[in-house]
Amino acid sequence: MTSRWFLLSTLLLCAPAVTHAEDAAALWDKSCKNCHGPDGRAQTRMGQKESIPDMSRATWQKAESDAELRKVIAHGSPHNPKMKAYKDRLTAEQIDALVGYIRTFKAKE
């Protein structure tokens, strides 16, 4: 019996985190892609209508801190009321995963 508990606890401790890159990509596709586009460039109808910035630009990436990204995802954008607050829909881990995913966007040369 003790060996079963040891095995189970070892498996749980070694289990992969819920917020893998694939999970963040799926979350992006579900919650963000319609406005921000699949690559963060905002080349969508809503992105262009609302003048959403291109998140793949190096200048944008440098200007926005992770803390600011978390704040906007959680509470919405002070500059665009159409950017919803996700604090009641996403966990802190999911918001962190989205921030990490946003950091993977690179401008196409």
Side-chain angles (χ1 to χ4, degrees):
M1 186 67 147
T2 304
S3 63
R4 283 187 187 169
W5 282 110
F6 176 76
L7 179 61
L8 180 60
S9 63
T10 302
L11 288 173
L12 289 174
L13 288 172
C14 296
V18 175
T19 56
H20 289 267
E22 299 86 24
D23 296 332
L27 191 57
W28 178 268
D29 286 349
K30 179 181 175 189
S31 302
C32 313
K33 183 173 94 172
N34 286 340
C35 296
H36 294 281
D39 54 5
R41 295 180 66 217
Q43 297 299 309
T44 64
R45 192 176 65 125
M46 185 62 77
Q48 292 175 351
K49 179 181 174 189
E50 295 298 322
S51 299
I52 295 173
D54 179 350
M55 295 177 170
S56 72
R57 294 182 63 224
T59 53
W60 185 91
Q61 288 279 340
K62 288 178 186 173
E64 300 298 325
S65 69
D66 288 356
E68 184 61 26
L69 293 177
R70 282 186 199 92
K71 181 178 174 183
V72 169
I73 294 168
H75 301 287
S77 173
H79 308 292
N80 185 344
K82 293 195 179 191
M83 171 61 195
K84 303 176 198 174
Y86 283 90
K87 69 179 188 279
D88 296 331
R89 300 176 200 174
L90 300 176
T91 65
E93 291 81 14
Q94 289 173 314
I95 291 172
D96 285 343
L98 282 173
V99 170
Y101 189 72
I102 290 167
R103 293 301 184 198
T104 67
F105 297 147
K106 302 288 184 231
K108 295 182 179 167
E109 304 294 325

